[in-house]
Amino acid sequence: MSKAGQIYHVPVLLNESINGMNIQSGGVYVDVTFGGGGHSKEILNRLNDTAHLYSFDQDEDAEKNIVNDSRFTFVRSNFRYLPNFLRYYDVKGVDAILADLGVSSHHFDDSERGFSFRFEGKLDMRMNKRAGMTAADVVNTYDEERMANIFYLYGELKNSRKLASTIVKARGLKPIVTIGDFLEVIKPLFGREREKKELAKVFQALRIEVNQEMEALKEMLYAATKALKPGGRLVVITYHSLEDRMVKNIMKTGNIEGKAEQDFFGNVQTPFKLVNNKVIVAGNEEVARNPRSRSAKLRIAEKK
C-alpha cells in the first residue's frame, strides 16, 4: 500500500477536545499525538501570531503532515520525553496539553507495519521504526510466564496462559516471523464466532508491549502535570480501559494508582480539578460517520 498522501484518520471528538483546551489566542500549547495533524491544525486556527504549538510524534510517517507555520514546532519523539523537549525549547509552562491515544487507521491499513491481522507482513508493530524490539522479538524470546502476563494485562485475555504455552511450543519448531506464521499458531485457540475480537485483543497486547505504551503514558501524564500552568488544561482521549483508568486516576488524585491523599479536613489533595465530571463520548452522528469513535472517551482536567 502506498504511503504517499495517506490520511491518518478523521480526528475523534475534534470540537469537544479543542474546546476543552480552553484556548487563549496568545498561549502556548502541546499536542503530544500529532499523527495526521487534524487536532494541531484546528488548534493553530485559534491562535494569534504570538502563540505557539509544539506537536509530538515518534512515527516518521507523521512528518509528511507537518504544518508550514512559524507558530508550529514538530518534535520527532515519543511523548514520554515531553519535559526534555520543553526544556530544550525553553518553555517554562504551557496552557493546555492534548493527547489522542488512539492508534490511527494509517497504521492498521499499512501492511508493512504489522499492526493488523487483516494483512500478511512482518510481525513488527513498532510506532517508531527506529526502535529495537518488534512483536516478533516478543513472541520468539519472552518466557512463557512473561508472555502470559502481557496477554492477560494488556489484552485481558482469559486464555492467556494457554496462548503463551502454545506460542512457546510452536516457536521451538520454527521461528514466528510473519503475521501469517503467528495466526497459524494462535487461530485454533479461538472459536470462529469470537475470532476477530479475540485476535484484536492479542494484537493490542503485543502492540502495547512493543511500544511500551503504558510506561510512556505514565511518564507523559506526570510530566504534563508539572508542565501545565495554573489554570492550564489536560485533555485526553482514550480508547481502552487500561489507559482510561490511568488518565482518570491522575486527574482525580494526581497519581496513576488512584491513591488519594487527604489533608487534615479530609479534602483530596490533587493538582487538578475536573472540568467534566462525566466522561464525554461521541454522539450517534459521529459514530455513524467514524466507527472508531465508538470506544473513545474524553476527559478534561484543569491545573489548580
Side-chain angles (χ1 to χ4, degrees):
M1 184 174 193
S2 171
K3 296 176 190 172
Q6 280 185 348
I7 297 173
Y8 272 55
H9 61 255
V10 177
V12 170
L13 294 166
L14 177 62
N15 291 325
E16 293 89 341
S17 58
I18 302 302
N19 290 340
M21 294 176 75
N22 192 30
I23 290 174
Q24 309 301 307
S25 60
V28 177
Y29 298 93
V30 179
D31 176 358
V32 296
T33 48
F34 179 69
H39 285 107
S40 284
K41 288 167 189 171
E42 183 57 35
I43 293 168
L44 287 167
N45 285 340
R46 304 189 186 198
L47 301 182
N48 65 25
D49 291 341
T50 66
H52 206 86
L53 170 65
Y54 297 88
S55 292
F56 285 67
D57 207 296
Q58 62 183 326
D59 187 351
E60 68 182 33
D61 289 350
E63 294 190 57
K64 296 168 186 173
N65 304 313
I66 288 176
V67 183
N68 184 17
D69 192 312
S70 60
R71 303 168 301 166
F72 176 79
T73 299
F74 179 78
V75 181
R76 169 82 190 280
S77 178
N78 189 302
F79 59 40
R80 72 194 307 170
Y81 302 115
L82 173 66
N84 306 48
F85 284 94
L86 291 181
R87 278 197 303 271
Y88 177 77
Y89 289 109
D90 199 29
V91 178
K92 305 299 184 188
V94 299
D95 296 289
I97 295 171
L98 170 70
D100 177 356
L101 301 178
V103 179
S104 77
S105 53
H106 161 79
H107 290 109
F108 287 124
D109 292 342
D110 186 347
S111 58
E112 294 177 23
R113 303 297 292 271
F115 283 91
S116 174
F117 52 84
R118 293 181 292 131
F119 305 110
E120 178 55 304
K122 290 183 179 178
L123 196 60
D124 194 320
M125 299 196 196
R126 291 173 298 171
M127 293 285 188
N128 178 359
K129 289 185 280 189
R130 299 178 299 185
M133 185 175 66
T134 67
D137 294 328
V138 172
V139 299
N140 284 294
T141 65
Y142 278 27
D143 65 44
E144 189 174 318
E145 184 179 0
R146 187 178 181 189
M147 207 180 324
N149 287 339
I150 287 165
F151 291 133
Y152 182 75
L153 292 171
Y154 297 158
E156 299 177 293
L157 286 145
K158 293 176 182 176
N159 64 341
S160 59
R161 294 199 176 281
K162 187 176 181 182
L163 187 58
S165 173
T166 301
I167 291 168
V168 169
K169 286 174 186 171
R171 78 189 189 195
L173 300 175
K174 65 169 185 174
I176 300 167
V177 178
T178 68
I179 293 170
D181 295 339
F182 189 51
L183 292 178
E184 188 180 333
V185 172
I186 67 171
K187 261 191 173 184
L189 299 178
F190 304 115
R192 187 168 286 277
E193 69 284 350
R194 285 189 54 80
E195 184 180 86
K196 286 186 179 178
K197 284 190 175 182
E198 297 299 297
L199 288 177
K201 290 179 179 180
V202 172
F203 274 63
Q204 172 183 290
L206 281 176
R207 190 202 76 226
I208 289 173
E209 174 65 14
V210 166
N211 296 288
Q212 296 186 305
E213 291 179 30
M214 294 299 103
E215 293 88 346
L217 177 58
K218 174 183 175 180
E219 291 177 29
M220 185 277 288
L221 290 172
Y222 281 123
T225 303
K226 292 180 180 178
L228 286 166
K229 298 175 184 175
R233 296 279 181 93
L234 177 61
V235 179
V236 187
I237 304 170
T238 65
Y239 294 82
H240 61 76
S241 58
L242 293 170
E243 60 192 17
D244 186 59
R245 193 178 304 123
M246 290 173 68
V247 173
K248 179 174 68 174
N249 284 344
I250 201 148
M251 288 183 173
K252 285 189 172 181
T253 67
N255 59 72
I256 61 160
E257 292 83 15
K259 296 175 182 175
E261 293 184 13
Q262 299 180 341
D263 64 15
F264 179 77
F265 300 101
N267 300 310
V268 175
Q269 298 291 93
T270 170
F272 292 109
K273 63 178 180 180
L274 299 180
V275 173
N276 59 320
N277 286 306
K278 188 177 179 182
V279 69
I280 298 169
V281 297
N284 292 334
E285 282 186 25
E286 181 168 5
V287 171
R289 190 171 62 248
N290 186 3
R292 71 186 291 275
S293 67
R294 189 186 305 276
S295 58
K297 293 180 179 179
L298 172 63
R299 295 185 184 274
I300 306 166
E302 186 172 291
K303 181 81 174 286
K304 290 180 179 176

